[in-house]
Amino acid sequence: MRPTARLLLGLALVGALTACGGSDDDAPVNDDGGGDADLAALGNDEVPDCPFTAEQVSDLVGTPLREDGSCYFIDGVAIVQATMSSQLAGATTYDYSRGQADERFDRVADLDRGDMGYLGVGDVEGEAVLIQGSGSYTINVSSLGGGADGLEAALTALLDAIPS
């Protein structure tokens, strides 16, 4: 499933739980009726632009790639895709995405930058999520070679290229 589809699925699940009255009994109650204000406090709602060009991605991952869509880079086999969303959207779906990463990848580690984030890798695919004040970034890579270590190095280089 493409990252955009996963994000939309996550947002749909959050919306469905809210519409069905799903709640967390331990969640704080907001008596002022300002639920939207509470969500807005999570961060901005600006969606950043793609932080990469095809040339930059090719240099960072060591494989010549061409752009084949909005922030989607391929060479026929290898894929690098970045999906951007607002800080608010990223924070809203983070726990779900992190839980899915724990199930999908052999290694998952928290990032030590931004508000929250993780990097997960397996043998042929990997994912990094970075949520910070300027927005949220989900980067998916596959078939770059080098196994989990190569994918981790590629994702780390891509994350380092995203401005703080």
Side-chain angles (χ1 to χ4, degrees):
M1 185 181 304
R2 290 182 65 166
T4 304
R6 283 195 303 269
L7 176 61
L8 292 174
L9 176 61
L11 290 173
L13 289 172
V14 169
L17 287 173
T18 302
C20 295
S23 67
D24 180 351
D25 292 336
D26 296 328
V29 176
N30 182 357
D31 292 333
D32 67 3
D36 290 343
D38 291 340
L39 286 177
L42 289 174
N44 77 57
D45 60 356
E46 298 293 319
V47 177
D49 293 329
C50 180
F52 312 116
T53 66
E55 184 178 331
Q56 289 170 318
V57 170
S58 297
D59 288 343
L60 291 168
V61 302
T63 300
L65 301 169
R66 70 180 187 287
E67 189 165 8
D68 190 37
S70 178
C71 225
Y72 185 75
F73 309 94
I74 63 171
D75 75 350
V77 177
I79 297 171
V80 173
Q81 178 179 18
T83 306
M84 291 68 57
S85 62
S86 69
Q87 180 185 26
L88 175 60
T92 302
T93 60
Y94 180 80
D95 290 337
Y96 176 79
S97 296
R98 180 65 164 84
Q100 291 297 304
D102 286 334
E103 293 179 20
R104 287 178 49 215
F105 300 112
D106 299 330
R107 298 188 321 223
V108 181
D110 292 328
L111 297 179
D112 59 359
R113 73 174 271 202
D115 298 329
M116 58 183 103
Y118 65 86
L119 189 151
V121 293
D123 288 334
V124 295
E125 70 173 332
E127 176 177 87
V129 170
L130 171 63
I131 300 170
Q132 58 185 13
S134 62
S136 300
Y137 303 84
T138 301
I139 304 170
N140 293 89
V141 298
S142 66
S143 304
L144 290 175
D149 291 337
L151 294 171
E152 183 174 349
L155 283 166
T156 299
L158 291 162
L159 286 168
D160 288 346
I162 296 173
S164 299

